Amino acid sequence: MKRSNDLFPSLLDDFFGRDWFNSGQTAGLTMPAVNLKEDENNFEVELAAPGMNKNDFKIELDNNLLTISCEKEEQHEEKGEKGQYARREFNYRSFQRSFNLPNTIESDKINARYTDGILKLTIPKKEEAKKRASRQIEIS
């Protein structure tokens, strides 16, 4: 099933390009939902990843390719009599999402924080990329 933004490319698609896992699912694993926002000064990436902590994430910028990855191992075990395992379960959760960033960003000023299950990246724009107010130009 196509997402609606596959039918109508948005302005942010032009800047960020399509991410590598465009369908949101790969090999039966669900990729976390991502919100992309733009205002006058910044781009923002919000990634929903509840149950993680900030040390589970790895964020890399290589040229203009922003890659967000996460890996978490969880173990649950129940011991029976005499300390033997009655049940032991392992759970591995991982994902990776990549985005092509525009050349108009301040790559050394990218800020990331993880709060309430949301990883939020703020990506500042260069001064020349910011919208300027229109002005009237007089003809001499």
Side-chain angles (χ1 to χ4, degrees), residues 95-109:
F95 66 84
Q96 179 175 317
R97 303 244 2 213
S98 297
F99 303 91
N100 288 312
L101 299 179
N103 291 327
T104 58
I105 62 153
E106 295 279 356
S107 61
D108 58 335
K109 295 181 181 176

Side-chain angles (χ1 to χ4, degrees), residues 1-132:
M1 181 172 162
K2 286 191 171 239
R3 296 186 319 201
S4 61
N5 69 350
D6 288 337
L7 300 174
F8 303 103
S10 71
L11 178 62
L12 289 176
D13 283 338
D14 292 340
F15 283 112
F16 282 91
R18 306 256 181 203
D19 71 72
W20 292 57
F21 298 106
N22 195 27
S23 69
Q25 293 188 353
T26 300
L29 299 175
T30 301
M31 291 292 140
V34 174
N35 293 329
L36 301 174
K37 297 180 185 178
E38 179 183 11
D39 63 28
E40 184 178 319
N41 299 311
N42 304 297
F43 295 104
E44 287 185 1
V45 177
E46 295 176 327
L47 186 135
M52 304 291 183
N53 72 52
K54 70 179 187 175
N55 296 325
D56 295 329
F57 294 98
K58 182 178 178 184
I59 304 169
E60 293 182 313
L61 184 62
D62 184 8
N63 290 317
N64 285 355
L65 183 66
L66 175 71
T67 302
I68 303 168
S69 60
C70 183
E71 186 171 314
K72 185 171 182 103
E73 176 185 344
E74 297 173 341
Q75 296 184 24
H76 175 76
E77 58 185 61
E78 295 176 12
K79 293 193 177 193
E81 295 178 29
K82 301 180 185 175
Q84 296 176 344
Y85 292 116
R87 184 174 91 179
R88 186 173 186 179
E89 294 180 0
F90 294 95
N91 183 18
Y92 296 93
R93 294 171 30 187
S94 65
F95 66 84
Q96 179 175 317
R97 303 244 2 213
S98 297
F99 303 91
N100 288 312
L101 299 179
N103 291 327
T104 58
I105 62 153
E106 295 279 356
S107 61
D108 58 335
K109 295 181 181 176
I110 295 174
N111 178 296
R113 68 180 181 276
Y114 182 70
T115 308
D116 298 329
I118 304 291
L119 177 66
K120 182 176 181 180
L121 282 77
T122 303
I123 305 167
K125 294 179 182 178
K126 291 180 180 176
E127 278 302 314
E128 62 266 21
K130 294 180 182 177
K131 239 184 184 182
R132 293 192 171 95

